[in-house]
CSV table of all heavy atoms in Angstrom, one decimal:
chain,number,residue,atom,x,y,z
A,1,CYS,N,0.9,-1.2,0.0
A,1,CYS,CA,0.0,0.0,0.1
A,1,CYS,C,0.8,1.3,0.0
A,1,CYS,O,1.0,1.9,1.0
A,1,CYS,CB,-0.9,0.0,1.1
A,1,CYS,SG,-2.2,-1.3,1.2
A,2,GLY,N,1.5,1.5,-1.1
A,2,GLY,CA,2.7,2.5,-1.1
A,2,GLY,C,2.1,3.9,-1.1
A,2,GLY,O,3.0,4.8,-0.9
A,3,LYS,N,0.8,4.2,-1.3
A,3,LYS,CA,0.3,5.5,-1.2
A,3,LYS,C,-0.2,5.9,0.2
A,3,LYS,O,-0.7,7.1,0.3
A,3,LYS,CB,-0.7,5.8,-2.3
A,3,LYS,CG,-0.1,5.8,-3.7
A,3,LYS,CD,-1.1,6.1,-4.8
A,3,LYS,CE,-0.5,6.0,-6.1
A,3,LYS,NZ,-1.5,6.3,-7.2
A,4,ILE,N,-0.4,5.0,1.0
A,4,ILE,CA,-0.8,5.3,2.4
A,4,ILE,C,0.4,6.1,3.1
A,4,ILE,O,1.5,5.8,3.0
A,4,ILE,CB,-1.0,4.1,3.3
A,4,ILE,CG1,-2.3,3.4,2.7
A,4,ILE,CG2,-1.1,4.4,4.7
A,4,ILE,CD1,-2.7,2.2,3.6
A,5,THR,N,0.0,7.3,3.7
A,5,THR,CA,0.9,8.2,4.1
A,5,THR,C,0.8,8.4,5.7
A,5,THR,O,0.1,7.9,6.3
A,5,THR,CB,0.8,9.6,3.4
A,5,THR,OG1,-0.4,10.1,3.6
A,5,THR,CG2,1.1,9.3,1.9
A,6,GLY,N,1.7,9.3,6.1
A,6,GLY,CA,1.7,9.6,7.5
A,6,GLY,C,2.3,8.7,8.4
A,6,GLY,O,2.9,7.7,7.9
A,7,ALA,N,2.2,8.8,9.7
A,7,ALA,CA,3.0,8.1,10.7
A,7,ALA,C,2.0,6.9,11.0
A,7,ALA,O,0.8,6.9,10.9
A,7,ALA,CB,3.2,8.9,12.0
A,8,ILE,N,2.7,5.8,11.5
A,8,ILE,CA,2.0,4.6,12.1
A,8,ILE,C,1.5,5.2,13.5
A,8,ILE,O,2.1,5.6,14.2
A,8,ILE,CB,3.0,3.5,12.3
A,8,ILE,CG1,3.6,3.0,11.0
A,8,ILE,CG2,2.2,2.3,13.0
A,8,ILE,CD1,4.8,2.0,11.3
A,9,PRO,N,0.2,4.9,13.7
A,9,PRO,CA,-0.4,5.4,14.9
A,9,PRO,C,0.1,4.8,16.1
A,9,PRO,O,0.3,3.6,16.1
A,9,PRO,CB,-1.9,5.1,14.8
A,9,PRO,CG,-2.2,4.9,13.3
A,9,PRO,CD,-0.9,4.4,12.7
A,10,THR,N,0.4,5.6,17.1
A,10,THR,CA,0.7,5.0,18.4
A,10,THR,C,-0.4,4.1,18.9
A,10,THR,O,-1.5,4.4,18.9
A,10,THR,CB,1.0,6.2,19.3
A,10,THR,OG1,2.0,7.1,18.9
A,10,THR,CG2,1.4,5.7,20.7
A,11,GLY,N,0.1,3.1,19.5
A,11,GLY,CA,-0.9,2.0,20.2
A,11,GLY,C,-1.8,1.4,19.1
A,11,GLY,O,-2.8,0.9,19.6
A,12,LEU,N,-1.3,1.2,17.8
A,12,LEU,CA,-2.2,0.6,16.8
A,12,LEU,C,-2.6,-0.8,17.2
A,12,LEU,O,-3.7,-1.2,16.9
A,12,LEU,CB,-1.5,0.6,15.5
A,12,LEU,CG,-2.2,0.0,14.3
A,12,LEU,CD1,-3.4,0.9,14.0
A,12,LEU,CD2,-1.2,0.0,13.0
A,13,PHE,N,-1.7,-1.6,17.9
A,13,PHE,CA,-1.9,-2.8,18.1
A,13,PHE,C,-2.0,-3.1,19.7
A,13,PHE,O,-2.0,-4.3,20.2
A,13,PHE,CB,-0.7,-3.8,17.7
A,13,PHE,CG,-0.4,-3.6,16.2
A,13,PHE,CD1,0.8,-3.1,15.8
A,13,PHE,CD2,-1.4,-3.9,15.3
A,13,PHE,CE1,1.0,-3.0,14.5
A,13,PHE,CE2,-1.1,-3.9,14.0
A,13,PHE,CZ,0.1,-3.2,13.5
A,14,ASP,N,-2.4,-2.1,20.4
A,14,ASP,CA,-2.4,-2.2,21.9
A,14,ASP,C,-3.5,-3.2,22.5
A,14,ASP,O,-3.4,-3.7,23.5
A,14,ASP,CB,-2.7,-0.8,22.6
A,14,ASP,CG,-1.4,-0.1,22.8
A,14,ASP,OD1,-0.2,-0.6,22.4
A,14,ASP,OD2,-1.3,1.0,23.4
A,15,ASN,N,-4.6,-3.3,21.7
A,15,ASN,CA,-5.7,-4.2,22.1
A,15,ASN,C,-5.8,-5.5,21.4
A,15,ASN,O,-6.8,-6.1,21.3
A,15,ASN,CB,-7.0,-3.4,21.8
A,15,ASN,CG,-7.2,-2.2,22.9
A,15,ASN,OD1,-6.4,-2.0,23.7
A,15,ASN,ND2,-8.4,-1.5,22.6
A,16,CYS,N,-4.5,-5.8,21.0
A,16,CYS,CA,-4.5,-7.1,20.2
A,16,CYS,C,-3.4,-8.0,20.8
A,16,CYS,O,-2.4,-8.3,20.1
A,16,CYS,CB,-4.2,-6.9,18.7
A,16,CYS,SG,-5.3,-5.7,17.9
A,17,PRO,N,-3.6,-8.4,22.0
A,17,PRO,CA,-2.6,-9.3,22.7
A,17,PRO,C,-2.4,-10.7,22.2
A,17,PRO,O,-1.4,-11.3,22.6
A,17,PRO,CB,-3.1,-9.2,24.2
A,17,PRO,CG,-4.6,-9.2,24.0
A,17,PRO,CD,-4.9,-8.4,22.8
A,18,LEU,N,-3.4,-11.2,21.4
A,18,LEU,CA,-3.2,-12.6,21.0
A,18,LEU,C,-2.5,-12.8,19.6
A,18,LEU,O,-2.2,-14.0,19.2
A,18,LEU,CB,-4.7,-13.2,20.9
A,18,LEU,CG,-5.6,-13.2,22.0
A,18,LEU,CD1,-6.9,-13.8,21.7
A,18,LEU,CD2,-4.9,-13.9,23.2
A,19,VAL,N,-2.0,-11.7,19.0
A,19,VAL,CA,-1.3,-11.8,17.8
A,19,VAL,C,-0.1,-12.6,17.9
A,19,VAL,O,0.7,-12.4,18.7
A,19,VAL,CB,-1.0,-10.5,17.2
A,19,VAL,CG1,-0.4,-10.5,15.8
A,19,VAL,CG2,-2.4,-9.6,17.0
A,20,THR,N,0.1,-13.5,17.0
A,20,THR,CA,1.2,-14.2,16.8
A,20,THR,C,2.2,-13.9,15.6
A,20,THR,O,3.4,-14.1,15.6
A,20,THR,CB,1.1,-15.7,16.8
A,20,THR,OG1,0.1,-16.1,15.7
A,20,THR,CG2,0.4,-16.3,18.0
A,21,ASP,N,1.4,-13.4,14.5
A,21,ASP,CA,2.1,-13.2,13.3
A,21,ASP,C,1.9,-11.8,12.7
A,21,ASP,O,0.8,-11.2,12.5
A,21,ASP,CB,1.6,-14.1,12.2
A,21,ASP,CG,2.3,-14.3,11.0
A,21,ASP,OD1,3.2,-13.3,10.8
A,21,ASP,OD2,2.0,-15.1,10.1
A,22,PHE,N,3.1,-11.0,12.8
A,22,PHE,CA,3.1,-9.6,12.2
A,22,PHE,C,4.0,-9.6,10.8
A,22,PHE,O,4.4,-8.6,10.4
A,22,PHE,CB,3.8,-8.8,13.2
A,22,PHE,CG,2.9,-8.2,14.3
A,22,PHE,CD1,3.1,-8.7,15.5
A,22,PHE,CD2,1.9,-7.3,14.0
A,22,PHE,CE1,2.2,-8.3,16.6
A,22,PHE,CE2,1.1,-6.8,15.1
A,22,PHE,CZ,1.2,-7.3,16.3
A,23,SER,N,4.2,-10.8,10.3
A,23,SER,CA,5.1,-10.7,9.1
A,23,SER,C,4.5,-9.9,8.0
A,23,SER,O,3.4,-9.9,7.7
A,23,SER,CB,5.3,-12.2,8.6
A,23,SER,OG,4.1,-12.9,8.4
A,24,PHE,N,5.4,-9.2,7.4
A,24,PHE,CA,5.2,-8.3,6.1
A,24,PHE,C,4.0,-7.3,6.4
A,24,PHE,O,3.4,-6.8,5.3
A,24,PHE,CB,4.7,-9.3,4.9
A,24,PHE,CG,5.7,-10.4,4.7
A,24,PHE,CD1,5.5,-11.6,5.2
A,24,PHE,CD2,6.8,-10.1,3.9
A,24,PHE,CE1,6.4,-12.6,4.9
A,24,PHE,CE2,7.7,-11.2,3.6
A,24,PHE,CZ,7.5,-12.3,4.1
A,25,VAL,N,3.6,-6.9,7.6
A,25,VAL,CA,2.4,-6.0,7.7
A,25,VAL,C,2.6,-4.8,6.9
A,25,VAL,O,1.6,-4.4,6.2
A,25,VAL,CB,2.4,-5.7,9.2
A,25,VAL,CG1,1.2,-4.6,9.4
A,25,VAL,CG2,1.9,-6.9,10.0
A,26,PHE,N,3.6,-4.1,7.0
A,26,PHE,CA,3.8,-2.8,6.3
A,26,PHE,C,4.9,-2.9,5.1
A,26,PHE,O,5.3,-1.9,4.7
A,26,PHE,CB,4.3,-1.7,7.3
A,26,PHE,CG,3.4,-1.5,8.6
A,26,PHE,CD1,3.9,-1.9,9.8
A,26,PHE,CD2,2.2,-0.9,8.4
A,26,PHE,CE1,3.0,-1.8,10.9
A,26,PHE,CE2,1.4,-0.8,9.5
A,26,PHE,CZ,1.8,-1.2,10.8
A,27,GLU,N,5.1,-4.1,4.6
A,27,GLU,CA,6.2,-4.2,3.6
A,27,GLU,C,5.9,-3.3,2.5
A,27,GLU,O,4.7,-3.3,1.9
A,27,GLU,CB,6.3,-5.6,3.1
A,27,GLU,CG,7.4,-5.7,2.1
A,27,GLU,CD,7.8,-7.1,1.6
A,27,GLU,OE1,7.3,-8.2,2.2
A,27,GLU,OE2,8.5,-7.3,0.7
A,28,ASP,N,6.8,-2.5,2.0
A,28,ASP,CA,6.7,-1.7,0.9
A,28,ASP,C,5.7,-0.6,1.0
A,28,ASP,O,5.1,0.0,-0.1
A,28,ASP,CB,6.4,-2.5,-0.5
A,28,ASP,CG,7.6,-3.3,-0.9
A,28,ASP,OD1,8.7,-3.0,-0.6
A,28,ASP,OD2,7.3,-4.4,-1.5
A,29,CYS,N,5.4,-0.2,2.2
A,29,CYS,CA,4.5,1.0,2.5
A,29,CYS,C,5.4,2.2,2.5
A,29,CYS,O,5.9,2.7,3.6
A,29,CYS,CB,3.8,0.9,3.8
A,29,CYS,SG,2.5,-0.4,3.8
A,30,SER,N,6.0,2.5,1.4
A,30,SER,CA,7.0,3.5,1.3
A,30,SER,C,6.6,4.9,1.6
A,30,SER,O,7.3,5.9,1.8
A,30,SER,CB,7.6,3.5,-0.1
A,30,SER,OG,6.6,3.7,-1.1
A,31,GLY,N,5.3,5.1,1.6
A,31,GLY,CA,4.7,6.5,2.0
A,31,GLY,C,4.6,6.7,3.4
A,31,GLY,O,4.4,7.9,3.9
A,32,LEU,N,4.8,5.7,4.3
A,32,LEU,CA,4.8,5.9,5.8
A,32,LEU,C,5.9,6.8,6.2
A,32,LEU,O,7.0,6.5,5.7
A,32,LEU,CB,4.8,4.5,6.5
A,32,LEU,CG,3.5,3.7,6.5
A,32,LEU,CD1,3.8,2.3,7.1
A,32,LEU,CD2,2.3,4.4,7.1
A,33,THR,N,5.6,7.7,7.1
A,33,THR,CA,6.7,8.7,7.5
A,33,THR,C,6.8,8.7,9.0
A,33,THR,O,6.1,8.1,9.7
A,33,THR,CB,6.4,10.1,6.9
A,33,THR,OG1,5.1,10.5,7.4
A,33,THR,CG2,6.4,10.2,5.5
A,34,GLY,N,7.8,9.4,9.4
A,34,GLY,CA,8.0,9.6,10.9
A,34,GLY,C,8.7,8.4,11.5
A,34,GLY,O,9.2,7.5,10.7
A,35,SER,N,8.9,8.4,12.8
A,35,SER,CA,9.5,7.3,13.4
A,35,SER,C,8.5,6.1,13.8
A,35,SER,O,7.3,6.3,13.8
A,35,SER,CB,10.0,7.8,14.8
A,35,SER,OG,10.9,8.9,14.7
A,36,ILE,N,9.1,5.0,14.1
A,36,ILE,CA,8.4,3.8,14.6
A,36,ILE,C,7.9,4.3,15.9
A,36,ILE,O,8.7,4.6,16.7
A,36,ILE,CB,9.2,2.6,14.5
A,36,ILE,CG1,9.7,2.2,13.1
A,36,ILE,CG2,8.5,1.4,15.2
A,36,ILE,CD1,10.7,1.1,13.1
A,37,PRO,N,6.6,4.1,16.3
A,37,PRO,CA,6.1,4.5,17.5
A,37,PRO,C,6.8,3.7,18.7
A,37,PRO,O,6.9,2.5,18.6
A,37,PRO,CB,4.7,4.2,17.5
A,37,PRO,CG,4.3,4.2,16.0
A,37,PRO,CD,5.5,3.7,15.4
A,38,VAL,N,7.1,4.4,19.8
A,38,VAL,CA,7.6,3.8,21.0
A,38,VAL,C,6.4,2.9,21.5
A,38,VAL,O,5.3,3.3,21.6
A,38,VAL,CB,8.0,4.8,22.1
A,38,VAL,CG1,8.3,4.1,23.4
A,38,VAL,CG2,9.1,5.7,21.6
A,39,GLY,N,6.8,1.7,21.8
A,39,GLY,CA,5.9,0.7,22.6
A,39,GLY,C,4.9,0.1,21.5
A,39,GLY,O,3.9,-0.4,22.0
A,40,LEU,N,5.1,0.2,20.2
A,40,LEU,CA,4.2,-0.3,19.2
A,40,LEU,C,3.7,-1.7,19.6
A,40,LEU,O,2.6,-2.1,19.3
A,40,LEU,CB,4.8,-0.2,17.7
A,40,LEU,CG,3.9,-0.6,16.6
A,40,LEU,CD1,2.7,0.3,16.7
A,40,LEU,CD2,4.7,-0.5,15.3
A,41,PHE,N,4.6,-2.6,19.9
A,41,PHE,CA,4.4,-4.0,20.2
A,41,PHE,C,4.3,-4.4,21.7
A,41,PHE,O,4.3,-5.6,21.9
A,41,PHE,CB,5.3,-4.9,19.5
A,41,PHE,CG,5.5,-4.6,18.0
A,41,PHE,CD1,6.6,-4.0,17.5
A,41,PHE,CD2,4.4,-4.7,17.1
A,41,PHE,CE1,6.8,-3.7,16.2
A,41,PHE,CE2,4.5,-4.4,15.9
A,41,PHE,CZ,5.7,-3.9,15.4
A,42,ASP,N,4.3,-3.5,22.5
A,42,ASP,CA,4.3,-3.8,24.1
A,42,ASP,C,3.3,-4.8,24.5
A,42,ASP,O,3.5,-5.5,25.4
A,42,ASP,CB,4.3,-2.5,24.9
A,42,ASP,CG,5.5,-1.6,24.9
A,42,ASP,OD1,6.5,-2.1,24.3
A,42,ASP,OD2,5.6,-0.8,25.7
A,43,LYS,N,2.1,-4.7,24.0
A,43,LYS,CA,0.9,-5.5,24.4
A,43,LYS,C,0.9,-6.8,23.7
A,43,LYS,O,0.0,-7.6,24.0
A,43,LYS,CB,-0.4,-4.7,24.3
A,43,LYS,CG,-0.4,-3.3,25.0
A,43,LYS,CD,-0.1,-3.5,26.6
A,43,LYS,CE,-0.1,-2.1,27.2
A,43,LYS,NZ,-1.3,-1.4,27.1
């Protein structure tokens, strides 16, 4: 999804504690900007 822009939202996965597979989630999202959010995978 190369035209999706902006930053990855903070806490995007906070309510998803059962996830086992994050492979390739944002691959080739070249339009994403900013830093990787602190604590993105904490939960």
Side-chain angles (χ1 to χ4, degrees):
C1 292
K3 292 183 180 179
I4 289 179
T5 58
I8 300 170
T10 300
L12 182 63
F13 305 116
D14 276 4
N15 289 356
C16 307
L18 302 181
V19 178
T20 60
D21 193 349
F22 280 106
S23 56
F24 305 96
V25 174
F26 303 109
E27 181 174 351
D28 291 331
C29 289
S30 55
L32 289 175
T33 56
S35 301
I36 299 170
V38 174
L40 183 61
F41 307 115
D42 278 5
K43 304 299 176 65

